[in-house]
């Protein structure tokens, strides 16, 4: 279900000129390259309660923003115990020397007002060493149930202004919630905020469900379900939580679907007579097209952002490897050549990288490579890591990790594309097969 | 005595219907029951594993599963022996249909294992057809690594999980 509140993107209402203090400092900018190792220190005094009764909400929102920014590994909160001064009120003049003295490079100030069921959040971002405001103050207003989203939106703006790239905090992830022992696992589709909060279930556990995939706009979810007794592809409408079977080319089993960027083409696998090939179906015209035709296993297709190409896995060489073909199934080229087996390729939303699962010497890895197969980089290593999905800005990968043994459980993790900042995404039960949706509006 | 036999039949029928998959009631069952008296209703005569036409006989005595090597869908010689027995049973009991479930161990990605399970299930299906069974009686489904039988993360468990299981039921062929 979509959150029911509307965020009023009431930009610029707080605008007033802030004089750049003519410092010789370069403007604050964190360039996201492999070399970024030192987290940027920032100060975020707890947002002020603008009206009586807003104190708890102000504290909660401040905490979520701090968690978002700390959670990137790119920013590091300075403890409030180090603060020399605090802004007297949201609009008051900033004493930059007090923030420079504790080496804060960025300062976020804000205020929260709760009125009935309405919450308003205002904030400003300052470049401490330049003594200048970065961009204009912004305000978000909505109903109280959307308070976390408003906090995430503040984080997205802060992240974006400092890094020059879009954020990923106000986004959701659909995944498979798993409960029960390995030989009697119950699986349900679930949707959550990117940070594992606000979990809602989209199916019951009466049939196995696998590998949900968000549409690029976040309005629909494709997934594989055994509700008919055989794996078929369902489309779920997120707003109504109603689903129907997707029409496919005829086959005994249909699985591993993904949307094109425009949301109207679906690539997927069909198994017939034991042989698995890749097909494409146009959801508007209903037209089906077979894209591969070999006795090998071809599966896990993923469109390029412009829709002209598809990356997939095939064992036509004898082991699982990655290939790219045109969206019509021609001009196929193998791109993975390292040791081991490569599967579950996913094209990054920026178009520059392919994330994959690699199996080698009894270990599983999540990795990335360029679309020509060069610059392969393994980001993780464990008994069983698989199923990468990209953050909407292409900077972070979420995946599932299963632990070894009879009591093995599966959980969601994230890692940035440099291989740093591996974190568990805490969910109420086990989780697998995450699919990261777009930034919400 | 006639009344007693009737009672025995009724009890037997109830017991049968309580048994999973035991939805057949044939001559050999009745023969066992005919010998029962009121003091000694002979349940063992209904024990499916001893009854060559029962699903229990199929799954336990003949064996409803065959195992595979790592990442392989080639039938082993012991697998072919089991399938010869399955084919014979299905030929005799022609009102049964079969669904072949293909499974994989956990050492593989989800999608690949689904496809691998489909290969394994199909290898069994093709073999049964080659032994004369009508293709319309046999369907396949893959569970990939979703339904392991043994849960340890060692080869002893993996070997049991790389399997194809023949599930039989009475019904109309497609």
């Amino acid at each position: 279900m979509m959150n029911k509140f509307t965020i009023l993107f009431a930009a610029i209402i707080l605008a007033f000129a802030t004089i750049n203090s003519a410092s010789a400092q370069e403007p604050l900018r964190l360039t996201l390259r492999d070399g970024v190792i030192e987290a940027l220190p920032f100060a975020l005094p707890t947002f002020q309660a603008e009206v009586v009764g807003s104190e708890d909400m102000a504290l909660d929102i401040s905490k979520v923003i701090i968690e978002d920014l700390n959670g990137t590994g790119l920013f590091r909160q300075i403890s409030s115990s180090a603060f020399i001064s605090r802004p007297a009120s949201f609009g008051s003049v900033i004493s930059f020397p007090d923030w420079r003295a504790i080496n804060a490079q960025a300062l976020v100030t804000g205020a929260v007002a709760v009125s009935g069921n309405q919450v308003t959040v205002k904030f400003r971002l300052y470049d401490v060493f330049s003594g200048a405001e970065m961009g204009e103050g912004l305000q978000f207003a909505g109903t109280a149930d959307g308070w976390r989203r408003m906090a995430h939106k503040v984080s997205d703006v802060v992240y974006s202004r400092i890094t020059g790239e879009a954020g990923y905090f106000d986004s959701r992830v659909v995944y498979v919630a798993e409960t029960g022992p390995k030989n009697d696992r119950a699986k349900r589709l679930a949707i959550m905020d990117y940070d594992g909060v606000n979990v809602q279930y989209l199916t019951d556990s009466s049939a196995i469900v696998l590998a949900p995939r968000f549409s690029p706009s976040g309005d629909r979810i494709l997934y594989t379900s055994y509700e008919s007794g055989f794996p078929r592809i369902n489309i779920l409408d997120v707003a109504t939580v109603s689903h129907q079977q997707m029409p496919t080319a005829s086959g005994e089993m249909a699985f591993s679907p993904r949307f094109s960027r425009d949301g109207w083409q679906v690539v997927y696998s069909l198994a017939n007579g034991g042989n698995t090939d890749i097909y494409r179906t146009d959801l508007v015209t209903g037209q089906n097209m077979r894209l591969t035709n070999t006795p090998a296993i071809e599966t896990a297709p993923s469109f390029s952002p412009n829709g002209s190409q598809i990356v997939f896995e095939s064992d036509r060489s004898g082991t699982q490897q990655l290939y790219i073909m045109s969206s019509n199934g021609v001009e196929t080229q193998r791109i993975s050549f390292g040791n081991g087996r490569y599967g579950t390729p996913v094209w990054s939303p920026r178009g520059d990288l392919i994330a994959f699962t690699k199996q080698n010497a009894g270990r599983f890895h999540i990795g990335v490579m360029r679309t020509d197969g060069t610059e392969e980089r393994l980001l993780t290593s464990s008994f069983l890591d698989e199923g990468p999905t990209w953050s909407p800005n292409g900077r972070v990968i979420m995946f599932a990790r299963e632990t070894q043994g009879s009591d093995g459980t599966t959980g969601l993790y994230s890692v940035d594309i440099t291989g740093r900042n591996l974190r568990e995404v805490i969910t109420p039960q086990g989780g697998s097969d995450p699919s990261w949706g777009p930034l919400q509006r | 005595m006639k009344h007693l036999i009737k009672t025995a039949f009724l009890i037997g029928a109830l017991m049968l219907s309580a048994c999973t998959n035991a939805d057949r009631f044939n001559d050999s069952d009745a023969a066992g029951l005919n010998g029962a008296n009121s003091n000694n209703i002979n349940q063992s005569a209904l024990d499916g594993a001893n009854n060559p036409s029962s699903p229990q006989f199929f799954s336990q005595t003949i064996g409803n599963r065959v195992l595979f090597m790592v990442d392989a869908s080639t039938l082993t010689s012991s697998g072919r022996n089991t399938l010869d027995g399955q084919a014979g049973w299905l030929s005799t009991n022609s009102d049964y249909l079969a669904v072949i479930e293909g499974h994989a161990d956990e050492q593989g990605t989800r999608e690949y294992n689904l496809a691998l399970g489909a290969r394994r299930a199909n290898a069994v299906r093709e073999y049964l057809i080659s032994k004369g069974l009508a293709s319309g009686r046999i369907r396949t489904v893959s569970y990939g690594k979703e339904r392991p039988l043994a849960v340890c993360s060692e080869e002893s468990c993996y070997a049991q999980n790389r399997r194809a299981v023949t599930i039989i039921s009475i019904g109309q062929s497609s």
Side-chain angles (χ1 to χ4, degrees):
Chain A
M1 259 165 292
M2 300 297 286
N3 278 315
K4 288 181 200 74
F5 75 100
T6 315
I7 286 178
L8 303 172
F9 203 98
I12 317 169
I13 62 158
L14 307 169
F16 64 87
T18 306
I19 308 298
N20 187 316
S21 57
S23 128
Q25 287 277 338
E26 290 291 309
L28 182 58
R29 171 54 64 95
L30 182 65
T31 306
L32 300 182
R33 286 203 203 95
D34 293 357
V36 176
I37 288 169
E38 198 68 24
L40 185 146
F42 73 96
L44 190 151
T46 299
F47 282 14
Q48 294 183 345
E50 284 215 312
V51 297
V52 174
S54 307
E55 292 80 5
D56 290 350
M57 183 66 86
L59 186 60
D60 288 343
I61 286 176
S62 304
K63 280 182 180 166
V64 169
I65 299 167
I66 289 167
E67 283 165 15
D68 283 344
L69 295 175
N70 279 343
T72 63
L74 301 171
F75 302 96
R76 176 174 60 79
Q77 176 210 11
I78 295 173
S79 164
S80 61
S81 62
F83 293 177
I84 295 166
S85 67
R86 286 161 203 267
S89 70
F90 176 58
S92 61
V93 176
I94 303 295
S95 174
F96 288 110
D98 291 350
W99 300 105
R100 281 183 206 123
I102 60 171
N103 199 33
Q105 293 193 41
L107 170 67
V108 183
T109 66
V112 172
V114 180
S115 167
N117 192 34
Q118 284 290 307
V119 175
T120 305
V121 184
K122 299 187 256 187
F123 79 98
R124 294 182 184 282
L125 171 64
Y126 298 93
D127 172 351
V128 171
F129 283 87
S130 302
E133 187 170 358
M134 294 185 77
E136 287 161 323
L138 287 181
Q139 167 175 310
F140 299 108
T143 52
D145 61 347
W147 71 270
R148 290 188 73 94
R149 284 198 57 196
M150 285 183 259
H152 292 320
K153 283 191 173 296
V154 173
S155 307
D156 279 323
V157 174
V158 170
Y159 178 99
S160 174
R161 285 183 180 171
I162 295 177
T163 66
E165 303 195 7
Y168 55 87
F169 308 108
D170 183 26
S171 61
R172 298 204 287 176
V173 173
V174 59
Y175 68 103
V176 175
E178 301 200 7
T179 51
K182 277 165 92 173
N183 57 353
D184 191 20
R185 255 319 138 72
K187 294 192 164 200
R188 283 188 288 174
L189 280 199
I191 195 168
M192 65 181 191
D193 295 351
Y194 96 99
D195 53 2
V197 178
N198 287 332
V199 171
Q200 293 173 290
Y201 299 98
L202 304 176
T203 66
D204 62 26
S205 59
S206 57
I208 299 173
V209 290
L210 302 174
R213 305 295 179 210
F214 252 125
S215 66
S217 67
D219 62 337
R220 289 162 296 151
I221 293 165
L222 290 166
Y223 64 102
T224 302
S225 171
Y226 281 72
E227 65 186 358
S228 69
F230 297 83
R232 306 301 316 180
I233 298 168
N234 283 352
I235 301 188
L236 181 136
D237 180 81
V238 175
T240 61
V241 199
S242 60
H243 70 267
Q244 59 186 53
Q245 200 176 97
M246 188 190 108
T248 62
S250 79
E252 292 153 14
M253 305 196 300
F255 58 99
S256 195
R258 269 185 206 278
F259 284 104
S260 60
R261 182 57 71 90
D262 69 9
W264 296 112
Q265 303 273 323
V266 177
V267 278
Y268 55 95
S269 281
L270 273 186
N272 268 316
N275 181 32
T276 299
D277 275 302
I278 294 172
Y279 289 72
R280 194 181 83 195
T281 289
D282 185 310
L283 294 179
V284 179
T285 64
Q287 197 174 19
N288 303 313
M289 186 172 184
R290 182 173 188 161
L291 302 182
T292 65
N293 194 346
T294 79
I297 288 173
E298 269 92 27
T299 188
S302 169
F303 275 109
S304 64
N306 68 10
S308 67
Q309 290 178 296
I310 293 167
V311 62
F312 63 100
E313 63 171 81
S314 170
D315 69 349
R316 62 182 68 174
S317 73
T319 62
Q320 269 174 290
Q321 299 292 337
L322 305 185
Y323 296 78
I324 287 178
M325 63 183 169
S326 81
S327 59
N328 291 324
V330 295
E331 296 162 14
T332 305
Q333 288 190 318
R334 177 171 166 178
I335 63 165
S336 64
F337 292 96
N339 293 327
R341 303 164 58 152
Y342 296 78
T344 74
V346 194
W347 216 302
S348 86
R350 306 159 70 95
D352 55 344
L353 295 173
I354 307 284
F356 55 84
T357 304
K358 180 170 180 172
Q359 208 180 333
N360 190 29
R363 301 281 289 175
F364 279 73
H365 310 270
I366 301 297
V368 293
M369 60 173 66
R370 301 195 63 79
T371 57
D372 61 3
T374 61
E375 297 181 35
E376 175 179 328
R377 184 163 66 216
L378 298 183
L379 310 179
T380 74
S381 176
S382 92
F383 167 70
L384 209 177
D385 286 349
E386 72 171 311
T389 182
W390 291 93
S391 65
N393 70 354
R395 283 289 165 194
V396 181
I397 289 171
M398 199 178 289
F399 61 97
R401 171 168 288 182
E402 179 127 13
T403 56
Q404 192 168 3
S406 308
D407 302 326
T409 57
T410 179
L412 302 181
Y413 287 77
S414 68
V415 66
D416 77 29
I417 57 170
T418 65
R420 281 193 298 273
N421 202 34
L422 176 69
R423 286 170 172 264
E424 183 174 5
V425 182
I426 306 293
T427 52
Q429 290 105 22
S432 64
D433 290 352
S435 173
W436 206 324
L439 265 188
Q440 301 186 87
R441 286 170 204 220
Chain B
M1 184 63 192
K2 196 177 177 187
H3 180 71
L4 284 175
I5 289 169
K6 206 172 178 181
T7 307
F9 259 109
L10 274 172
I11 292 169
L14 283 170
M15 292 166 88
L16 259 183
S17 62
C19 247
T20 39
N21 294 329
D23 38 7
R24 283 159 61 84
F25 193 69
N26 61 26
D27 290 342
S28 56
D29 295 324
L33 281 165
N34 283 337
N37 62 42
S38 62
N39 298 320
N40 181 22
I41 296 172
N42 187 354
Q43 190 176 338
S44 69
L46 288 171
D47 183 356
N50 294 331
N51 172 1
S53 292
S54 73
Q56 290 85 349
F57 187 89
F58 180 87
S59 61
Q60 292 164 30
T61 311
I62 293 173
N64 64 354
R65 71 198 53 187
V66 297
L67 304 180
F68 295 87
M69 306 297 283
V70 175
D71 197 20
S73 54
T74 311
L75 296 168
T76 63
S77 62
S78 95
R80 286 195 297 272
N81 286 341
T82 302
L83 295 179
D84 288 341
Q86 290 186 8
W89 191 93
L90 286 163
S91 299
T92 309
N93 299 278
S94 57
D95 44 355
Y96 276 86
L97 303 181
V99 175
I100 319 293
E101 297 178 350
H103 298 268
D105 66 34
E106 69 188 359
Q107 309 171 95
T109 49
R110 196 175 315 287
E111 293 81 359
Y112 183 83
N113 277 344
L114 278 177
L116 179 58
R119 269 184 182 163
R120 286 173 175 162
N122 191 65
V124 168
R125 181 175 186 268
E126 302 263 298
Y127 189 85
L128 294 176
I129 291 169
S130 78
K131 295 293 163 184
L133 295 182
S135 60
R137 290 178 65 194
I138 312 169
R139 297 184 72 180
T140 58
V141 63
S142 173
Y143 286 94
K145 59 177 174 177
E146 304 305 315
R147 287 283 179 261
L149 209 57
V151 293
C152 71
S153 295
E154 288 151 31
E155 175 55 25
S156 60
C157 289
Y158 294 162
Q160 298 174 61
N161 293 337
R162 293 189 299 263
R163 68 198 193 277
V165 184
T166 306
I167 306 292
I168 52 170
S169 64
I170 290 186
Q172 297 292 308
S173 64
S174 55

